[in-house]
């Protein structure tokens, strides 16, 4: 049996224990075990990144829940994996190439893709190592990567069958184009930012010379692509203009005045320019009205040949030139300051360009309707529930999904065009020959949106489309834990995919975890300099302190304000448990084991009751994803009840008690370690080895990670003793400590004490030890004396002998203040109990509770009056 060190060496423990857990296969699922399955899949982190605080939170909660379920006796499976992160990974490698003086175009597609695979093999291990540092109890034998051949097979099946069912199609549509990354983005990959800009008012003359109209725009360069001016069909001001032609101010083209209900007559002049090639609303109006579409900004964000004299200019430079020419020719009416919402790429930060492009799209309306129904019927349950409103909004207003990306890194679209006749073939594999007889094909160069493969994650990781035994056993998964910021990106798409391809939801419950912010509640960012690095935190405070801090602050629906004070408090908690365990170990010889029959006194019966009530509440809290409540309950059970109260009461037993009395303490510590293990696994496993090696019952696993959840432990069902005796002890202890503080007595100074609750005399030594008292005299007689400071407690009073230290005036003032407080509290209680209507109609329990409160205060009031004389 190893003697515990003076301090917990968390750095050594973290490295050592994870290796032991892996070697013992403690985290591997056991499909042949006969246990009830419980499964969860990791939100796959990008292979590009390091563990950030958001990862630390979501994976801590995953691990707490998985270890809890494993201890409850489930065949618990947590599937790990990483995401190929199409855009982010390609950007990372392109930066490397740029530093080397080359780029992907010079390398060629195949060489560039090989370069990314090489980068992936070197870097994927970093994030996986960090998950191990965090203590994640994932089953590494089932580790997945979203570009694995098996997962690619699933992606190709979904694409091909969706295409043949008419749900996937290719065509020209208005998309958000990232000119920096040279790829289309879905609407969800767009972030909006308000910026101060200008609103230019432009004059468009009617071709017949009968007048003109004024339109306003935030993008004057796009007017080069105008093909109409639109008014509302019911706007009386412009009825006579509808159908007339206008002279375009700069191009010389003539464009019509058209009518459409998308125009807001109350905005500006009630006239809008229509540029179908460069605005989503204009594109839709152009299709309705049959207007031509002129692309004047290209995919490189430069003006095209259609822009005439402005061809080749950057779009923002063209803006300056267009405004100058309009002003010179008299078409610029006025310029106003204006706050505009700009569309930016979530990845590159570039200003996006709405462009009409040939892309692949997926019609998800039918799947969205099914997903909408699952939450509304309770087939999928959200915690917190308020996210249902966001879910309903997104799925009710869903648009076709642009799934193609102009990237090399990702799942390549399984579509081939015949080089001879141009026929498109969408198949699982490249066709051997076209119907025209040709055998040469060109594959579509695009790849799929990263979220396309992520949507299949809950079933592709179990081998789908193969009908594997694992798929049948572990799908649907039991719960999903993820950030609310990807509710639609990922959660909704997984629901739609699961319902479409598996005929069932991918998970029964969804818990949306909080966001981690800095101590002042600000979002962490490198520019603000307030980023808290979990890797640095684990190095300074220990992984267990980080995990416990995150768990105890993870209240549903509220963000976490992480601070060094919180981390220090959690580290102190870990040290408290370590020191208490070490004290127990130092006073137990090797003959005391969990097979030794425990003996119980008042303190033990009380501690059993506290553990029984607390662990029942912890179990319920974890089942309901109230991680903060479970952590807080365990914190107080360990710190207040076990360390601050029970250990102090049991010190005599530890030193000179019977084997049975010492065994009781060992049993209690064993139960606490098992309950705390999901939250602080390294600390508890280290203590468990030191305390329980050679002390476990026959057949018990040596590793704490493999032991059972203790809520049903037979010892916790033992009842007996006076349930009020220890709470009374705690009351008088608090009163004595408070008296010392109020009278300015040094906490370390030992003074005589007196107590009228004679039934607590067996705990005199504990009181002397904890409150630092010279002596404690128990007596039913009056405790008041000129040299004493007295405090009233339930059922009696306590006093400190402060000869030479006490201020009689202050003592009297203190008692008078207590008298006034009690009389004030009794006024509403007496009035309520004197109300016959309340007493006869209110529930008996409510009346009894009120009477108890009144009686307790009346008793204390009488004691205070007696002390005042």
């Amino acid at each position: 049996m190893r003697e515990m060190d003076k301090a917990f060496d968390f750095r050594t423990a973290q490295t050592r224990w994870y290796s032991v857990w892996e070697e013992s296969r403690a985290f591997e699922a056991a499909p042949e075990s006969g246990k009830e399955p419980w499964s969860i899949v990791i939100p796959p982190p990008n292979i590009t990144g390091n563990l950030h605080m958001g990862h630390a939170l979501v994976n801590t909660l995953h691990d707490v829940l998985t270890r809890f379920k494993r201890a409850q006796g489930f065949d618990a499976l947590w599937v790990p994996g990483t995401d190929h992160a199409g855009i982010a990974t390609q950007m990372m490698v392109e930066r490397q190439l740029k530093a080397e003086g080359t780029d992907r175009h010079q390398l060629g597609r195949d060489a560039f893709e090989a370069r990314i695979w090489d980068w992936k093999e070197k870097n994927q291990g970093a994030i996986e190592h960090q998950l191990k540092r965090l203590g994640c109890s994932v089953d590494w034998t089932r580790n997945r990567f979203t570009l694995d051949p098996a997962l690619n097979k699933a992606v190709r099946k979904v694409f091909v069958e969706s295409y043949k069912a008419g749900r996937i199609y290719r065509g020209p549509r208005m998309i958000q184009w990232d000119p920096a990354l040279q790829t289309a983005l879905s609407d969800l990959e767009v972030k909006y930012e308000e910026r101060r800009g200008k609103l230019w008012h432009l004059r468009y003359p009617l071709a017949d010379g009968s007048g003109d109209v004024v339109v306003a725009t935030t993008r004057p360069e796009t007017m080069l692509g105008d093909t109409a001016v639109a008014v509302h069909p019911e706007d009386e001001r412009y009825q006579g203009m509808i159908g007339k032609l206008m002279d375009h101010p700069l191009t010389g083209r003539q464009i019509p005045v058209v009518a459409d209900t998308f125009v807001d007559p109350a905005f500006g002049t009630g006239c809008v320019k229509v540029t179908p090639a460069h605005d989503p609303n204009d594109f839709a109006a152009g299709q309705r009205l049959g207007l031509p579409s002129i692309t004047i900004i290209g995919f490189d964000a430069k003006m095209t040949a259609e822009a005439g004299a402005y061809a080749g200019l950057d779009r923002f430079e063209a803006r300056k030139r267009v405004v100058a020419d309009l002003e010179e020719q008299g078409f610029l009416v006025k310029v106003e300051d204006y706050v505009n919402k700009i569309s930016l790429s979530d990845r590159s930060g570039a200003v996006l360009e709405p462009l009409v492009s040939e892309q692949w799209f997926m019609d998800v309306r039918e799947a969205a309707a099914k997903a909408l129904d699952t939450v509304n019927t309770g087939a999928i349950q959200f915690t917190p529930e308020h996210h249902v409103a966001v879910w309903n909004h997104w799925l009710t207003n869903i648009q076709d999904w642009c799934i193609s990306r102009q990237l090399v890194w990702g799942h390549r679209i399984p579509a081939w065009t015949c080089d001879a006749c141009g026929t498109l073939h969408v198949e699982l594999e490249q066709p051997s020959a076209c119907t025209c007889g040709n055998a040469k094909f060109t594959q579509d160069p695009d790849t799929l949106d990263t979220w396309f493969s992520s949507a299949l994650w809950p079933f592709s990781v179990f081998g789908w489309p193969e009908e594997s035994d694992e798929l049948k056993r572990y799908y649907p998964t039991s719960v999903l834990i993820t950030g609310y910021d990807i509710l639609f990106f990922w959660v909704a798409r997984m629901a739609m995919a699961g319902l479409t391809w598996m005929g069932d939801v991918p998970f029964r419950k969804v818990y949306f975890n909080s966001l981690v912010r800095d101590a002042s509640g600000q979002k962490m960012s490198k520019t603000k300099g307030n980023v808290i690095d979990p890797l640095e935190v684990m190095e300074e405070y220990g992984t267990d302190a980080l995990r416990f801090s995150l768990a105890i602050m993870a209240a549903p629906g509220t963000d976490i304000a992480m601070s060094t004070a919180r981390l220090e408090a959690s580290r102190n908690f870990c040290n408290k448990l370590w020191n208490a365990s070490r004290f127990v170990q130092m006073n137990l010889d090797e003959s005391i084991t969990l097979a030794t029959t425990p003996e119980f006194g008042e303190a033990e019966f009380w501690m059993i009751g506290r553990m029984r009530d607390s662990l029942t509440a912890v179990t319920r809290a974890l089942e309901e994803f109230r991680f903060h409540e479970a952590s807080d309950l365990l914190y107080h059970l360990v710190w207040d009840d076990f360390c601050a109260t029970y250990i102090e009461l049991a010190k005599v037993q530890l030193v000179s008690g019977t084997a049975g009395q010492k065994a009781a303490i060992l049993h209690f510590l064993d139960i606490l370690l098992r309950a705390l293990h999901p939250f602080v696994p390294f600390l508890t496993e280290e203590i468990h080895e030191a305390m329980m090696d050679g002390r476990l019952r026959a057949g018990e696993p040596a590793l704490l990670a493999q032991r059972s959840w203790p809520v049903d432990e037979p010892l916790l069902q033992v009842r007996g003793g006076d349930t009020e005796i220890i709470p009374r002890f705690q009351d008088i202890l608090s009163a004595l400590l408070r008296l010392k503080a109020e009278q300015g007595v040094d906490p370390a100074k030992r003074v005589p004490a007196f107590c009228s609750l004679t039934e607590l005399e067996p705990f005199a030594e504990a009181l002397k030890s904890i409150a630092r008292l010279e002596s404690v005299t128990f007596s039913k007689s009056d405790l008041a004396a000129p040299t004493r400071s007295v405090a009233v407690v339930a059922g009696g009073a306590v006093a400190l002998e402060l000869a030479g230290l006490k201020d009689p005036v202050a003592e009297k003032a203190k008692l008078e203040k207590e008298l006034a407080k009690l009389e004030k509290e009794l006024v509403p209680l007496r009035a309520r109990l004197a109300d016959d209507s309340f007493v006869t109609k209110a529930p008996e329990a409510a009346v009894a509770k009120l009477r108890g409160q009144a009686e307790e205060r009346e008793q204390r009031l009488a004691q205070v009056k007696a002390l005042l004389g």
Side-chain angles (χ1 to χ4, degrees), residues 737-747 749 800 802 805:
L737 292 171
R738 189 166 59 251
L739 280 176
K740 290 183 83 172
E742 288 172 353
Q743 295 299 323
V745 179
D746 185 335
K749 183 175 179 61
L800 292 178
L802 300 174
L805 300 172

Side-chain angles (χ1 to χ4, degrees), residues 31-56:
E32 307 300 325
S33 64
K35 297 178 179 178
E36 183 179 344
W38 182 91
S39 60
I40 193 169
V41 294
I42 199 171
N46 293 352
I47 57 169
T48 56
N50 284 324
L51 195 75
H52 57 62
M53 201 56 85
H55 289 134

Side-chain angles (χ1 to χ4, degrees), residues 657-679:
T658 65
Q661 289 173 326
K662 293 181 178 183
I665 299 168
L666 182 68
H667 277 276
F668 295 164
L669 182 57
D670 177 64
I671 288 169
L672 293 175
L673 291 174
R674 287 153 63 190
L676 279 165
H677 180 72
F679 297 87

Side-chain angles (χ1 to χ4, degrees), residues 793-850:
V793 295
V798 292
L800 292 178
E801 177 58 61
L802 300 174
L805 300 172
K806 181 189 170 199
D807 179 351
V809 175
E811 177 65 12
K812 183 180 179 184
K814 185 192 74 173
L815 289 171
E816 287 173 342
K817 184 178 179 181
E818 176 73 3
L819 181 73
K821 177 175 175 286
L822 288 166
E823 287 179 334
K824 184 178 179 181
E825 290 175 353
L826 278 165
V827 169
L829 291 171
R830 288 166 175 164
R832 201 81 169 129
L833 290 169
D835 182 350
D836 290 337
S837 176
F838 169 75
V839 173
T840 55
K841 294 180 181 179
E844 286 184 18
V847 176
K849 181 179 179 182
L850 222 59

Side-chain angles (χ1 to χ4, degrees), residues 346-363:
D346 192 44
R347 286 293 180 186
S348 70
V351 176
L352 298 176
E353 192 62 49
L355 291 173
V356 177
S357 175
E358 186 88 5
Q359 300 288 340
W360 290 91
F361 296 88
M362 189 173 201
D363 182 347

Side-chain angles (χ1 to χ4, degrees), residues 344-493:
L344 302 173
S345 168
D346 192 44
R347 286 293 180 186
S348 70
V351 176
L352 298 176
E353 192 62 49
L355 291 173
V356 177
S357 175
E358 186 88 5
Q359 300 288 340
W360 290 91
F361 296 88
M362 189 173 201
D363 182 347
V364 291
R365 286 172 295 180
E366 183 181 341
K370 292 179 181 177
L372 195 63
D373 191 53
T374 59
V375 172
N376 292 333
T377 59
I380 297 177
Q381 297 173 3
F382 283 0
T383 302
E385 291 184 354
H386 66 254
H387 290 296
V388 172
V390 181
W391 177 269
N392 290 343
H393 171 75
W394 275 112
L395 292 177
T396 302
N397 297 283
I398 200 163
Q399 302 293 318
D400 286 3
W401 176 14
C402 177
I403 56 174
S404 49
R405 297 291 179 273
Q406 287 63 55
L407 300 171
V408 171
W409 181 243
H411 292 278
R412 194 163 177 183
I413 290 175
W416 290 263
T417 302
C418 173
D419 289 349
C421 69
T423 300
L424 180 67
H425 299 262
V426 176
E427 303 291 346
L428 292 173
E429 305 290 345
Q430 179 177 329
S432 56
C434 181
T435 51
C436 71
N438 177 58
K440 290 187 176 181
F441 299 87
T442 299
Q443 187 173 1
D444 192 306
D446 291 353
T447 55
L448 288 164
D449 180 3
T450 298
W451 296 105
F452 192 96
S453 53
S454 299
L456 315 182
W457 187 249
F459 49 93
S460 63
V461 296
F462 296 124
W464 188 89
E466 303 301 326
E467 293 278 337
S468 69
D469 291 338
E470 286 194 355
L471 182 65
K472 294 173 185 174
R473 179 170 177 79
Y474 298 115
Y475 185 93
T477 60
S478 306
V479 62
L480 174 75
I481 302 177
T482 188
Y484 59 77
D485 52 333
I486 55 173
L487 181 149
F488 194 80
F489 274 114
W490 194 42
V491 183
R493 285 170 175 165

Side-chain angles (χ1 to χ4, degrees), residues 110-138:
D110 291 345
F112 179 55
E113 189 172 2
R115 176 70 179 260
I116 302 178
W117 275 106
D118 182 57
W119 185 93
K120 175 259 181 189
E121 293 303 322
K122 291 176 181 175
N123 290 276
Q124 182 177 350
I127 193 77
E128 293 172 354
H129 172 70
Q130 289 159 14
L131 290 172
K132 292 180 180 182
R133 280 191 67 182
L134 191 61
C136 297
S137 61
V138 299

